[in-house]
Amino acid sequence: MSNSLSASTEGLAIVDKARQRRGWTKTSTARWWQDAHTSRATLRRFWQGDRIGRDIFIAICQAVGISNWEAIADSPDFNFEPISDINTPDIDWNEAPDVESFYGRDRELEQLEQWIITNRGKLIAIVGIAGIGKTALALALADRIQSKFARCIWRSLQSSPSPISLLDSILNAIAPSVVGDLQQGIAQLLHHLQQRPYLLILDGLSAVLSKQEYAAEYNQLLDKLSRDRHQSCILITSCEQPKSIAINTKTVRCLNLQGLPKTDAVELLRSRGFTGKELGLSALIKLYRGNPLAIKLVTPLIQSVFGGNIAAFLNQNTLVISERLQTILKQQFEQLSDLEREILYWLAIWQEPVSFCRLPTHFLISVDPAAVLAAMANLDRRSLLEKWFNAEESSFTLQPLVMKIVTDELVERAALEIDRAVRNNDIRHFKILRTHWLVRPGTDDIAGDRILNQLRERLWRVHGATLPENLRQILLLLSDRSPLAIGYIGCNIMALLL
């Protein structure tokens, strides 16, 4: 009997169904090759139909739950090595991350495959909020369509490489070359993309678009790759839709990735040790809007602190966000314009969908509606908004994860403004508390207002029993100031005193 085996076409189809049931990707789920005591490269050879060691072949089948490995093998008793398939693509995935599990997304995969393979898409963007599964979807898609390309190259942009560094890395993976400047590098890359069909995956584009020194050059690169004629496909993932390319043409498309549907989210939770019958399961999925990473990161807390009792966790009436997600979302927040931040603060205060017409009604200073519309479009492009549509008008609110981050940021900055005003006896430190009324419009329940209570608690930790007197001192500073200089300061201080 041969010491090496390869999988048949029918066998690979069986294995493919088995790994889908477990939510694993073909080659990017580290647990698979680790359980089989092999390497990722060997797992890739298995999928390519190459012969690998008999013991490893069996271990790969068993790791995915297949004990009858004979049904997977192709002519296991033959003792010769077949000639490699000339259509097997070269793969450079050294920068691709390991994905532990992958659930659902069948509709998205079919849509992306149609855009890339059937419509011969040149540039495809997968866009969505942090943690929504953009990278995992790109990996699953690459597993699915890699045989259609002569070469697959994955490059991560999370470390914010310069455009020249990125081009140098890609071109040297194709053929040894020297990149002199941006224009030369783009021309060289386009030449290769025209000669052979490449699948080039740029993961985490928003990390470089946020760098002022790189943004213009990256936009220039994307514009050329989307416009010039070639037979390759550039697949990008990003928290924001690039402004430099014309989306929704025949060969340039954008998929706005939403959270997992309930059935797929339940499967994810089952893989984390929940049975799928726990009380509050649907509410937990809805609270996190089916965000796979947010769900994965909150489940250890539910298990360790609440003994796996989801309902008990939900009774705390709070949203727990991991440090990793907080960092990403705060970085996005810091990149916004003043008007975009002002809009986010108002949406956090309202806590409910607000129509575009109603949005500017509480602005302290009138703003050109065109500027407000442009700011809303930018927030939507950055995947920070939730949209609600009906026959009469559209309304906007914040995704729960964003709502939590913006609310915490609002409270922290408001508290700092009060601290400085008290310390310096000067109202010029007020910005947010001058331009935003923290009481939700239309409510009489000031005592129960979430933001006010959070701010009171934050101030009490600093000022203690002197807080009421300090707030009254601020009110005295307003006596000889103009209404524009005061803005909402007096209303906010009075609400805190009440």
Side-chain angles (χ1 to χ4, degrees):
M1 181 176 287
S2 172
N3 289 324
S4 62
L5 298 172
S6 64
S8 65
T9 302
E10 296 78 7
L12 288 176
I14 296 171
V15 176
D16 196 38
K17 290 181 180 179
R19 65 97 186 168
Q20 287 180 25
R21 286 194 295 270
R22 288 176 177 257
W24 291 0
T25 61
K26 282 187 174 180
T27 60
S28 300
T29 300
R31 180 179 172 184
W32 195 346
W33 69 77
Q34 289 168 357
D35 285 359
H37 302 288
T38 186
S39 67
R40 184 179 187 177
T42 302
L43 183 58
R44 286 180 182 143
R45 290 179 58 211
F46 171 87
W47 280 109
Q48 292 167 6
D50 295 346
R51 283 187 173 269
I52 60 176
R54 181 174 180 273
D55 292 342
I56 295 300
F57 182 96
I58 295 172
I60 287 174
C61 293
Q62 290 176 340
V64 81
I66 298 174
S67 57
N68 184 19
W69 58 267
E70 292 91 344
I72 309 303
D74 183 20
S75 303
D77 291 325
F78 290 172
N79 203 15
F80 61 84
E81 298 290 331
I83 299 174
S84 296
D85 188 346
I86 60 172
N87 291 322
T88 298
D90 294 324
I91 299 176
D92 181 353
W93 279 7
N94 290 334
E95 295 187 13
D98 295 333
V99 175
E100 180 185 346
S101 57
F102 181 77
Y103 295 90
R105 304 300 194 195
D106 293 335
R107 181 181 61 82
E108 290 89 347
L109 285 168
E110 289 173 5
Q111 179 67 83
L112 290 166
E113 185 171 7
Q114 179 183 345
W115 286 346
I116 295 173
I117 305 303
T118 306
N119 299 345
R120 301 183 65 83
K122 290 191 295 185
L123 192 146
I124 307 297
I126 303 175
V127 174
I129 192 173
I132 205 68
K134 302 179 294 293
T135 298
L137 179 60
L139 282 165
L141 178 66
D143 275 341
R144 183 164 171 157
I145 65 174
Q146 61 185 3
S147 62
K148 306 294 184 181
F149 295 89
R151 183 155 196 168
C152 302
I153 300 174
W154 183 291
R155 288 293 178 265
S156 172
L157 305 182
Q158 297 297 339
S159 61
S160 301
S162 69
I164 293 293
S165 297
L166 176 67
L167 286 167
D168 184 68
S169 171
I170 295 170
L171 289 168
N172 275 287
I174 297 173
S177 56
V178 177
V179 179
D181 56 37
L182 182 68
Q183 301 302 327
Q184 180 192 7
I186 294 174
Q188 288 177 259
L189 178 58
L190 281 168
H191 170 74
H192 289 294
L193 299 182
Q194 290 163 357
Q195 300 303 309
R196 300 176 72 197
Y198 287 86
L199 176 61
L200 174 59
I201 303 160
L202 304 179
D203 184 37
L205 181 72
S206 44
V208 293
L209 292 182
S210 65
K211 298 286 184 179
Q212 191 171 1
E213 65 270 33
Y214 296 156
E217 291 184 340
Y218 267 104
N219 282 323
Q220 184 180 349
L221 169 62
L222 293 174
D223 182 62
K224 290 289 289 181
L225 293 176
S226 67
R227 290 179 181 273
D228 284 28
R229 183 184 295 273
H230 58 78
Q231 58 175 324
S232 301
C233 178
I234 293 82
L235 177 67
I236 62 177
T237 72
S238 178
C239 289
E240 61 182 90
Q241 182 177 309
K243 292 189 290 187
S244 59
I245 54 178
I247 295 293
N248 293 332
T249 65
K250 184 177 180 181
T251 58
V252 181
R253 305 302 294 260
C254 179
L255 177 70
N256 289 294
L257 194 60
Q258 305 300 317
L260 289 173
K262 179 183 173 181
T263 52
D264 297 324
V266 168
E267 285 301 313
L268 189 157
L269 284 164
R270 282 178 177 158
S271 75
R272 314 294 289 185
F274 296 90
T275 66
K277 298 179 180 179
E278 289 84 355
L279 291 174
L281 195 69
S282 296
L284 178 69
I285 294 168
K286 183 179 180 180
L287 177 64
Y288 285 94
R289 294 299 193 269
N291 187 300
L293 182 59
I295 292 172
K296 288 178 183 178
L297 294 178
V298 78
T299 48
L301 172 70
I302 296 173
Q303 289 166 330
S304 62
V305 177
F306 298 96
N309 188 331
I310 294 176
F313 167 74
L314 294 173
N315 285 338
Q316 305 308 306
N317 196 28
T318 188
L319 189 72
V320 176
I321 306 178
S322 71
E323 185 177 343
R324 177 179 169 188
L325 275 177
Q326 282 189 43
T327 300
I328 297 171
L329 291 170
K330 284 184 177 181
Q331 287 173 348
Q332 272 194 286
F333 184 83
E334 292 299 325
Q335 296 158 15
L336 301 177
S337 69
D338 290 341
L339 179 56
E340 289 164 359
R341 285 199 196 107
E342 184 172 358
I343 291 171
L344 289 189
Y345 285 143
W346 276 117
L347 291 176
I349 292 166
W350 270 312
Q351 304 175 47
E352 60 185 15
V354 179
S355 69
F356 178 77
C357 295
R358 185 187 174 198
L359 188 60
T361 56
H362 291 277
F363 285 5
L364 183 64
I365 300 174
S366 179
V367 180
D368 181 0
V372 178
L373 187 60
M376 291 293 289
N378 280 335
L379 292 173
D380 184 45
R381 186 174 56 81
R382 294 174 186 268
S383 308
L384 298 176
L385 300 181
E386 275 191 355
K387 294 172 285 188
W388 300 75
F389 299 104
N390 58 39
E392 298 178 357
E393 60 183 3
S394 56
S395 298
F396 304 88
T397 186
L398 302 180
Q399 294 207 29
L401 296 176
V402 181
M403 182 78 77
K404 170 70 172 172
I405 294 295
V406 174
T407 299
D408 290 348
E409 192 74 17
L410 173 61
V411 168
E412 184 63 25
R413 295 195 181 193
L416 288 174
E417 289 179 6
I418 291 175
D419 293 343
R420 290 168 182 164
V422 169
R423 190 166 55 248
N424 300 307
N425 211 35
D426 191 345
I427 69 166
R428 286 179 296 178
H429 295 284
F430 286 114
K431 294 180 181 178
I432 289 174
L433 288 175
R434 172 178 168 267
T435 57
H436 292 76
W437 189 18
L438 300 188
V439 178
R440 185 155 55 104
T443 181
D444 295 325
D445 184 19
I446 294 179
D449 188 272
R450 179 171 54 87
I451 292 179
L452 284 176
N453 282 330
Q454 192 173 332
L455 178 56
R456 281 195 200 96
E457 290 173 5
R458 164 69 173 76
L459 292 169
W460 188 264
R461 288 196 295 270
V462 175
H463 300 268
T466 65
L467 177 60
E469 182 57 34
N470 289 340
L471 293 177
R472 293 189 188 98
Q473 187 63 37
I474 290 175
L475 289 176
L476 293 176
L477 297 174
L478 306 179
S479 59
D480 59 346
R481 301 303 179 101
S482 68
L484 185 59
I486 296 173
Y488 290 110
I489 298 173
C491 298
N492 286 318
I493 299 302
M494 288 299 297
L496 286 168
L497 282 168
L498 288 174

